[in-house]
Amino acid sequence: MGSGGERSGRPSRAEPSRSGRCRPARLAATTSVFGKLFGAGGGKAGKGGPTPQEAIQRLRDTEEMLSKKQEFLEKKIEQELTAAKKHGTKNKRAALQALKRKKRYEKQLAQIDGTLSTIEFQREALENANTNTEVLKNMGYATKAMKAAHDNMDIDKVDELMQDIADQQELAEEISTAISKPVGFGEEFDEDELMAELEELEQEELDKNLLEISGPETVPLPSVPSISLPSKPAKKKEEEDNDMKELETWAGTI
């Protein structure tokens, strides 16, 4: 009974140890995959295994070999078909043998077609994996280079530098403004006096222009004509007087 209890208790004690060993094993497998992917710490298998370029080249060589095998089998199929037609009913046994060989060649050809498809798929997957590996590797290098470039940089120092640049630019603008400002070399004038003098000069120029336009005072006036103007007819004058009286009467009624 005691021995049986010990035997029955062993699996229960062994299960935690197995589950405990499972996690390190998975972790080691994951680490190995990343190690092979990035070429670091791959162990003997990683060091001794073929590189992706070598595997891709071997797959291409295999594809070329199988393609040549396809061409050979296609020619053999044509030969056997020609032989079967040639013998025909004259030599049925030879014709049947030729057809059997043709069938075997066709079967081999179909197998090679399937094998080529598998190899092509494997080669494309390997090429994609190799491309992704190179991309990740280059991205890692770029990240390290960026980190190294930023190691000697301090954000506070960058802010101070930018503030110094802004101060220097402001100082340069002030200097440019001071240089471009006209200098009288100690001579100062009253702008009001200058404006008054300018107005007097303008008034003198205006008076001079008016005198030139009016001309001299001795200009002779035109003579009065000696011919008398004709007087209005008496009847017409009476009609006008009557009209004026009517107008005045009408205005008074209003």
Side-chain angles (χ1 to χ4, degrees):
M1 293 293 290
S3 62
E6 291 177 358
R7 290 179 183 178
S8 60
R10 287 179 183 176
S12 61
R13 290 194 301 271
E15 286 179 358
S17 61
R18 290 178 183 177
S19 61
R21 289 195 302 269
C22 183
R23 290 181 180 178
R26 290 180 181 177
L27 180 60
T30 305
T31 306
S32 177
V33 169
F34 280 101
K36 292 179 180 179
L37 180 62
F38 293 101
K44 295 182 179 179
K47 294 181 179 179
T51 62
Q53 292 81 3
E54 292 175 352
I56 291 171
Q57 186 59 43
R58 288 192 179 186
L59 289 174
R60 288 176 178 173
D61 294 339
T62 304
E63 285 179 312
E64 184 179 358
M65 179 189 66
L66 291 176
S67 297
K68 292 181 179 179
K69 182 68 173 179
Q70 276 183 327
E71 294 177 359
F72 173 76
L73 290 174
E74 288 173 355
K75 291 180 181 180
K76 295 296 292 181
I77 290 171
E78 291 179 0
Q79 292 176 359
E80 298 300 335
L81 184 59
T82 303
K85 290 179 179 180
K86 180 180 179 181
H87 293 294
T89 56
K90 297 179 182 179
N91 191 348
K92 291 184 179 182
R93 183 176 180 181
L96 290 174
Q97 291 295 329
L99 291 176
K100 288 180 181 180
R101 287 192 296 270
K102 184 180 78 69
K103 291 292 183 181
R104 289 198 302 270
Y105 294 148
E106 289 175 349
K107 185 177 180 180
Q108 293 179 19
L109 187 61
Q111 292 175 350
I112 291 175
D113 289 338
T115 304
L116 279 174
S117 298
T118 303
I119 291 176
E120 183 178 359
F121 175 79
Q122 187 178 13
R123 177 178 55 79
E124 291 177 354
L126 187 56
E127 288 175 348
N128 292 333
N130 186 38
T131 302
N132 294 334
T133 302
E134 292 297 326
V135 170
L136 292 174
K137 188 184 296 182
N138 294 332
M139 290 175 66
Y141 289 157
T143 303
K144 291 179 181 179
M146 187 178 295
K147 185 177 180 181
H150 291 162
D151 282 342
N152 297 326
M153 291 186 182
D154 186 2
I155 187 63
D156 295 332
K157 293 182 179 180
V158 173
D159 291 337
E160 292 177 1
L161 177 61
M162 297 305 297
Q163 185 63 37
D164 292 340
I165 293 174
D167 294 341
Q168 293 301 320
Q169 288 180 348
E170 185 177 357
L171 179 61
E173 290 179 359
E174 293 178 357
I175 293 173
S176 299
T177 303
I179 292 174
S180 61
K181 187 176 181 180
V183 179
F185 297 102
E187 297 181 0
E188 297 181 357
F189 301 98
D190 189 357
E191 293 185 359
D192 295 336
E193 292 180 359
L194 294 175
M195 290 298 296
E197 186 178 354
L198 179 61
E199 290 178 358
E200 290 179 359
L201 293 174
E202 291 178 350
Q203 187 64 35
E204 291 178 0
E205 186 68 21
L206 181 61
D207 295 341
K208 184 179 179 181
N209 292 334
L210 290 174
L211 290 174
E212 291 178 355
I213 292 172
S214 62
E217 296 179 356
T218 59
V219 177
L221 296 174
S223 59
V224 179
S226 59
I227 301 172
S228 60
L229 296 174
S231 60
K232 295 183 180 179
K235 186 177 181 179
K236 189 175 182 181
K237 186 176 181 181
E238 291 178 358
E239 292 178 355
E240 289 179 355
D241 294 338
N242 294 331
D243 292 338
M244 289 297 296
K245 289 179 180 179
E246 290 179 2
L247 181 61
E248 290 175 357
T249 303
W250 177 76
T253 57
I254 295 174

